Amino acid sequence: MSPAGRSFQVFAKPAGADCNLACAYCYYLEKGLPAGTREAKRMADDMLAEYIARHISASSDEIIRFSWHGGEPTLAGLEFYRRAVEVQTRLRPAGRSIANGMQTNGTLIDDGWGAFLAEAGFSVGLSLDGPEEIHDVHRRAPDGRPTFRRALRGYEILRRHGVPTDILCAVGVHNAGLPAGVYGFFKSIEASFISFLPLVEPLEGVAAGVGRRTVPAEAWGEFLCAVFDEWLEKDIGRIKVQIFEEAARTAFGQEHSLCLFRPECGDVPVVERNGDVYSCDHFVDAEHRLGNIRETPLEDMLESPAQRQFGMAKLERLPGVCLSCEVRDMCHGECPKNRFIPDPDGGPERNHLCPGYKRFFTHCRPFVEAVAAAWRRTVIL
């Protein structure tokens, strides 16, 4: 089989939607395989080997990247990932390398996990919403117990073992008004890479309606501006903030690394624990099921008309307000899942976060343009 015609990232869900926590805002707990499915709660060994083989076959990149997600991916067990690395090593094409990443809540990480992840060269994204009183607002165990101390312990274990660890921070009503406290906490634990993820919960059947945890668009923009100003004054070159990195890519004419900000999407599908493949992490449903890796090569599903159309729809349904926006190259309308605000002229729905993104990208634009000018001078010299 020929590799896919584009780079891709698969969110592999070896434990499906299963999780040891019950975070109030989690969108994936209700996804995964339908209730009552008589299949194992974890990806079987033969399915794991099949998936890895299909993934390697579909990839044409020099570095073949695997991303393990959930639910909570550590519930698949440490031995599962030992087997995964063994299969990857056995199937790795000559002259190419394999990289693994994992997104976790951190509460199950112990020294055994830390040693393995370090030895196997994993990078980890760990969820923390800020200091204890902020983190524990929504990130709790099924019995209601707080989780901050266990998550922070996991983070500290990973750092002690030298595992590259990014902080993933959901920004909602609970912390959007506290940028200094949130960012200051991350600096205090010596975080080197931070991703801020806007919390948006649309109300089904209510035009432009959002849940009470949703970050208001203006608050999202102000949060990012406040953190950016602090970062620019004190932390540039020391801490990487993902959305700042994305904005800076436009200075060099680079494609966005995040699907959120690309003109088109569709190259970040999901493989569930039974091998079913879906268009996107936010669209795991019957309508967006592309097939199963036992039956269809991964590259065929990535290049299928259904998946191509899914990706193109982001551009084709770009809201009219975006077409003439001066920061369109930084945003491209962001994620389609957040486009549910009715257009007054009857056009495609607008993004709930649009005013916030425009506020931030306009705010950071002078810095980006200065970086671009300095880079051009260097190139000319």
PDB file of all heavy atoms in Angstrom, residues 14 22 67 76 87 111-112 123 130 146 156 168 214 227 295 363 369 378:
ATOM      1  N   PRO A  14      -6.625   3.499  23.515  1.00  0.00           N
ATOM      2  CA  PRO A  14      -6.541   2.088  23.913  1.00  0.00           C
ATOM      3  C   PRO A  14      -7.497   1.705  25.033  1.00  0.00           C
ATOM      4  O   PRO A  14      -7.826   0.531  25.191  1.00  0.00           O
ATOM      5  CB  PRO A  14      -5.084   1.944  24.353  1.00  0.00           C
ATOM      6  CG  PRO A  14      -4.662   3.310  24.759  1.00  0.00           C
ATOM      7  CD  PRO A  14      -5.382   4.230  23.804  1.00  0.00           C
ATOM      8  N   ALA A  22     -13.843  11.938  36.803  1.00  0.00           N
ATOM      9  CA  ALA A  22     -15.150  12.336  36.267  1.00  0.00           C
ATOM     10  C   ALA A  22     -15.169  13.850  36.155  1.00  0.00           C
ATOM     11  O   ALA A  22     -15.993  14.525  36.784  1.00  0.00           O
ATOM     12  CB  ALA A  22     -16.277  11.835  37.151  1.00  0.00           C
ATOM     13  N   SER A  67       0.223   8.972  19.097  1.00  0.00           N
ATOM     14  CA  SER A  67      -0.370   9.787  20.165  1.00  0.00           C
ATOM     15  C   SER A  67      -1.409   8.947  20.904  1.00  0.00           C
ATOM     16  O   SER A  67      -2.417   8.537  20.320  1.00  0.00           O
ATOM     17  CB  SER A  67      -1.034  11.042  19.580  1.00  0.00           C
ATOM     18  OG  SER A  67      -0.092  11.839  18.896  1.00  0.00           O
ATOM     19  N   ALA A  76      -4.887   1.513  30.235  1.00  0.00           N
ATOM     20  CA  ALA A  76      -4.525   0.342  29.424  1.00  0.00           C
ATOM     21  C   ALA A  76      -3.415  -0.464  30.084  1.00  0.00           C
ATOM     22  O   ALA A  76      -3.212  -1.635  29.742  1.00  0.00           O
ATOM     23  CB  ALA A  76      -4.087   0.790  28.028  1.00  0.00           C
ATOM     24  N   VAL A  87       6.434  -3.756  19.485  1.00  0.00           N
ATOM     25  CA  VAL A  87       5.915  -3.888  18.122  1.00  0.00           C
ATOM     26  C   VAL A  87       6.456  -2.766  17.239  1.00  0.00           C
ATOM     27  O   VAL A  87       6.867  -2.990  16.092  1.00  0.00           O
ATOM     28  CB  VAL A  87       4.370  -3.870  18.118  1.00  0.00           C
ATOM     29  CG1 VAL A  87       3.838  -3.871  16.681  1.00  0.00           C
ATOM     30  CG2 VAL A  87       3.821  -5.064  18.881  1.00  0.00           C
ATOM     31  N   ASP A 111       6.517   5.779  39.938  1.00  0.00           N
ATOM     32  CA  ASP A 111       7.899   5.682  39.477  1.00  0.00           C
ATOM     33  C   ASP A 111       8.078   4.642  38.382  1.00  0.00           C
ATOM     34  O   ASP A 111       8.958   4.788  37.528  1.00  0.00           O
ATOM     35  CB  ASP A 111       8.828   5.385  40.655  1.00  0.00           C
ATOM     36  CG  ASP A 111       9.139   6.634  41.468  1.00  0.00           C
ATOM     37  OD1 ASP A 111       9.521   7.652  40.866  1.00  0.00           O
ATOM     38  OD2 ASP A 111       8.987   6.587  42.697  1.00  0.00           O
ATOM     39  N   GLY A 112       7.258   3.592  38.401  1.00  0.00           N
ATOM     40  CA  GLY A 112       7.328   2.600  37.328  1.00  0.00           C
ATOM     41  C   GLY A 112       6.982   3.220  35.982  1.00  0.00           C
ATOM     42  O   GLY A 112       7.670   3.003  34.980  1.00  0.00           O
ATOM     43  N   SER A 123       6.934  11.617  25.283  1.00  0.00           N
ATOM     44  CA  SER A 123       6.606  12.950  25.788  1.00  0.00           C
ATOM     45  C   SER A 123       5.186  12.885  26.325  1.00  0.00           C
ATOM     46  O   SER A 123       4.371  12.076  25.864  1.00  0.00           O
ATOM     47  CB  SER A 123       6.728  14.008  24.694  1.00  0.00           C
ATOM     48  OG  SER A 123       5.857  13.714  23.619  1.00  0.00           O
ATOM     49  N   GLY A 130      -4.514  24.831  36.980  1.00  0.00           N
ATOM     50  CA  GLY A 130      -3.993  25.907  37.805  1.00  0.00           C
ATOM     51  C   GLY A 130      -3.719  25.392  39.199  1.00  0.00           C
ATOM     52  O   GLY A 130      -3.616  24.177  39.418  1.00  0.00           O
ATOM     53  N   PRO A 146     -11.181  15.507  45.421  1.00  0.00           N
ATOM     54  CA  PRO A 146     -10.307  16.354  44.600  1.00  0.00           C
ATOM     55  C   PRO A 146      -9.148  15.546  44.039  1.00  0.00           C
ATOM     56  O   PRO A 146      -8.801  14.482  44.572  1.00  0.00           O
ATOM     57  CB  PRO A 146      -9.825  17.423  45.588  1.00  0.00           C
ATOM     58  CG  PRO A 146      -9.915  16.772  46.930  1.00  0.00           C
ATOM     59  CD  PRO A 146     -11.110  15.872  46.860  1.00  0.00           C
ATOM     60  N   GLU A 156       5.373  15.767  39.122  1.00  0.00           N
ATOM     61  CA  GLU A 156       6.685  15.794  39.763  1.00  0.00           C
ATOM     62  C   GLU A 156       7.467  14.520  39.489  1.00  0.00           C
ATOM     63  O   GLU A 156       8.696  14.555  39.308  1.00  0.00           O
ATOM     64  CB  GLU A 156       6.517  16.032  41.261  1.00  0.00           C
ATOM     65  CG  GLU A 156       5.998  17.436  41.577  1.00  0.00           C
ATOM     66  CD  GLU A 156       5.576  17.601  43.023  1.00  0.00           C
ATOM     67  OE1 GLU A 156       5.398  16.576  43.714  1.00  0.00           O
ATOM     68  OE2 GLU A 156       5.412  18.759  43.461  1.00  0.00           O
ATOM     69  N   LEU A 168      -1.409  20.982  30.133  1.00  0.00           N
ATOM     70  CA  LEU A 168      -2.633  21.230  29.377  1.00  0.00           C
ATOM     71  C   LEU A 168      -3.648  21.850  30.331  1.00  0.00           C
ATOM     72  O   LEU A 168      -4.091  21.200  31.273  1.00  0.00           O
ATOM     73  CB  LEU A 168      -3.177  19.925  28.797  1.00  0.00           C
ATOM     74  CG  LEU A 168      -2.177  19.059  28.014  1.00  0.00           C
ATOM     75  CD1 LEU A 168      -2.807  17.736  27.616  1.00  0.00           C
ATOM     76  CD2 LEU A 168      -1.671  19.804  26.801  1.00  0.00           C
ATOM     77  N   THR A 214     -18.632  27.480  30.244  1.00  0.00           N
ATOM     78  CA  THR A 214     -17.993  27.984  29.027  1.00  0.00           C
ATOM     79  C   THR A 214     -17.294  29.317  29.259  1.00  0.00           C
ATOM     80  O   THR A 214     -17.845  30.220  29.891  1.00  0.00           O
ATOM     81  CB  THR A 214     -19.046  28.148  27.917  1.00  0.00           C
ATOM     82  OG1 THR A 214     -19.559  26.862  27.572  1.00  0.00           O
ATOM     83  CG2 THR A 214     -18.439  28.793  26.675  1.00  0.00           C
ATOM     84  N   VAL A 227      -1.599  36.871  29.812  1.00  0.00           N
ATOM     85  CA  VAL A 227      -0.494  35.906  29.893  1.00  0.00           C
ATOM     86  C   VAL A 227       0.597  36.267  28.900  1.00  0.00           C
ATOM     87  O   VAL A 227       1.794  36.199  29.211  1.00  0.00           O
ATOM     88  CB  VAL A 227      -1.004  34.473  29.657  1.00  0.00           C
ATOM     89  CG1 VAL A 227       0.169  33.490  29.604  1.00  0.00           C
ATOM     90  CG2 VAL A 227      -1.979  34.057  30.756  1.00  0.00           C
ATOM     91  N   GLU A 295     -10.225  -3.857   8.380  1.00  0.00           N
ATOM     92  CA  GLU A 295     -10.876  -4.025   7.082  1.00  0.00           C
ATOM     93  C   GLU A 295     -10.367  -3.060   6.022  1.00  0.00           C
ATOM     94  O   GLU A 295     -10.407  -3.375   4.821  1.00  0.00           O
ATOM     95  CB  GLU A 295     -12.385  -3.819   7.256  1.00  0.00           C
ATOM     96  CG  GLU A 295     -13.005  -4.745   8.293  1.00  0.00           C
ATOM     97  CD  GLU A 295     -14.348  -4.242   8.790  1.00  0.00           C
ATOM     98  OE1 GLU A 295     -14.763  -3.138   8.353  1.00  0.00           O
ATOM     99  OE2 GLU A 295     -14.956  -4.927   9.639  1.00  0.00           O
ATOM    100  N   HIS A 363      -3.607  41.796  19.350  1.00  0.00           N
ATOM    101  CA  HIS A 363      -2.709  42.255  20.408  1.00  0.00           C
ATOM    102  C   HIS A 363      -1.268  41.788  20.180  1.00  0.00           C
ATOM    103  O   HIS A 363      -0.321  42.556  20.395  1.00  0.00           O
ATOM    104  CB  HIS A 363      -3.217  41.740  21.756  1.00  0.00           C
ATOM    105  CG  HIS A 363      -2.413  42.175  22.928  1.00  0.00           C
ATOM    106  ND1 HIS A 363      -2.446  43.455  23.423  1.00  0.00           N
ATOM    107  CD2 HIS A 363      -1.525  41.494  23.717  1.00  0.00           C
ATOM    108  CE1 HIS A 363      -1.636  43.552  24.477  1.00  0.00           C
ATOM    109  NE2 HIS A 363      -1.059  42.379  24.667  1.00  0.00           N
ATOM    110  N   GLU A 369       5.019  40.617  13.817  1.00  0.00           N
ATOM    111  CA  GLU A 369       5.563  41.361  12.674  1.00  0.00           C
ATOM    112  C   GLU A 369       7.013  41.775  12.929  1.00  0.00           C
ATOM    113  O   GLU A 369       7.838  41.778  12.008  1.00  0.00           O
ATOM    114  CB  GLU A 369       4.696  42.581  12.397  1.00  0.00           C
ATOM    115  CG  GLU A 369       3.323  42.208  11.833  1.00  0.00           C
ATOM    116  CD  GLU A 369       2.408  43.403  11.669  1.00  0.00           C
ATOM    117  OE1 GLU A 369       2.732  44.483  12.227  1.00  0.00           O
ATOM    118  OE2 GLU A 369       1.354  43.263  11.001  1.00  0.00           O
ATOM    119  N   THR A 378      17.820  38.870   8.692  1.00  0.00           N
ATOM    120  CA  THR A 378      18.822  37.805   8.865  1.00  0.00           C
ATOM    121  C   THR A 378      18.991  37.027   7.572  1.00  0.00           C
ATOM    122  O   THR A 378      20.125  36.700   7.162  1.00  0.00           O
ATOM    123  CB  THR A 378      18.402  36.848   9.995  1.00  0.00           C
ATOM    124  OG1 THR A 378      18.248  37.596  11.200  1.00  0.00           O
ATOM    125  CG2 THR A 378      19.440  35.759  10.195  1.00  0.00           C
TER     126      THR A 378
END
